[in-house]
Amino acid sequence: MTELSNIIITEEEIRNRIKEIGSQVSKDYEGKELVMVCVLKGAAVFVSDLMRAINIPAVCVDFLSISSYAERSEAGAVRILKDLDIDITNRDVLVVEDIIDTGFTLGYLLRILKARTPASLKVAVLLDRPALRIVDLPVAYKGFEIPEEFVVGYGLDYNQKYRNLPYICLLKTKK
Ligand code: IMP
Ligand code: MG
């Protein structure tokens, strides 16, 4: 018996939307050097497609990894498990994340990255679940808004599984 339920965003819809976001990013950063910061592991699939949809020549990519919900203290603090290799001081930085839910994860991350004084700091998320937002954050590029249900695929996991699915789909066992 599978845990997977309906596909809510198809492979083709993702591909088309990423093309649009890539064009917009290319326009917005024309003539600049862009540092894309991928939040592991969820955004790995998104960043690899998005960076290839951007046609400015000077794109760097770097990765960081933060503690997941399960690893967090009761206060909900997010910890950096693997930091960036690149120094982002005075660089134009685009943080790439899989999904923004309450906003705690990104809110925390943006505070840390801002303290390193980048020239600019923006956010691209594949998925936005606005119904559950607690921390309000500026999101420059957004793929899709989704309903309250838990989703997997295209980088997003449930117990580390299903990141390989090329579409976004609902899970039967989790709300
Ligand atoms: P936030 O801190 O509540 O905004 O949660 C964002 C993080 O929770 C994301 O980076 C994901 O890793 C994880 N997450 C939230 N919703 C989902 C989901 O539906 N599927 C998989 N991971 C999720
Ligand atoms: Mg994540």
Side-chain angles (χ1 to χ4, degrees), residues 143-156:
F144 304 90
E145 288 197 359
I146 59 162
E148 270 194 55
E149 286 117 305
F150 198 84
V151 296
V152 295
Y154 200 79
L156 290 101

Side-chain angles (χ1 to χ4, degrees), residues 5-123:
S5 180
N6 298 345
I7 295 175
I8 59 165
I9 307 170
T10 66
E11 208 174 338
E12 191 186 0
E13 286 169 327
I14 295 173
R15 199 182 317 119
N16 291 337
R17 187 74 187 106
I18 287 180
K19 244 185 236 160
E20 292 172 358
I21 297 174
S23 305
Q24 191 58 53
V25 171
S26 306
K27 269 190 210 137
D28 295 349
Y29 290 89
E30 204 183 336
K32 293 186 174 170
E33 278 191 23
L34 173 62
V35 180
M36 298 176 78
V37 168
C38 169
V39 186
L40 292 172
K41 303 173 188 164
V45 179
F46 180 37
V47 82
S48 63
D49 281 342
L50 181 59
M51 65 190 291
R52 285 177 291 175
I54 295 172
N55 58 26
I56 55 170
V59 175
C60 305
V61 67
D62 202 356
F63 301 85
L64 59 73
S65 170
I66 53 184
S67 54
S68 69
Y69 279 173
E71 296 152 343
R72 277 173 213 171
S73 67
E74 270 175 30
V78 179
R79 268 189 319 124
I80 292 195
L81 303 177
K82 184 231 169 278
D83 206 338
L84 297 173
D85 298 325
I86 294 179
D87 178 6
I88 59 166
T89 308
N90 294 324
R91 309 289 302 269
D92 289 302
V93 176
L94 180 62
V95 177
V96 182
E97 176 59 310
D98 52 0
I99 181 167
I100 176 166
D101 192 27
T102 61
F104 281 127
T105 307
L106 259 181
Y108 170 86
L109 201 58
L110 290 178
R111 272 202 304 280
I112 293 182
L113 297 179
K114 217 175 192 167
R116 300 179 186 180
T117 62
S120 68
L121 183 61
K122 286 199 206 175
V123 174

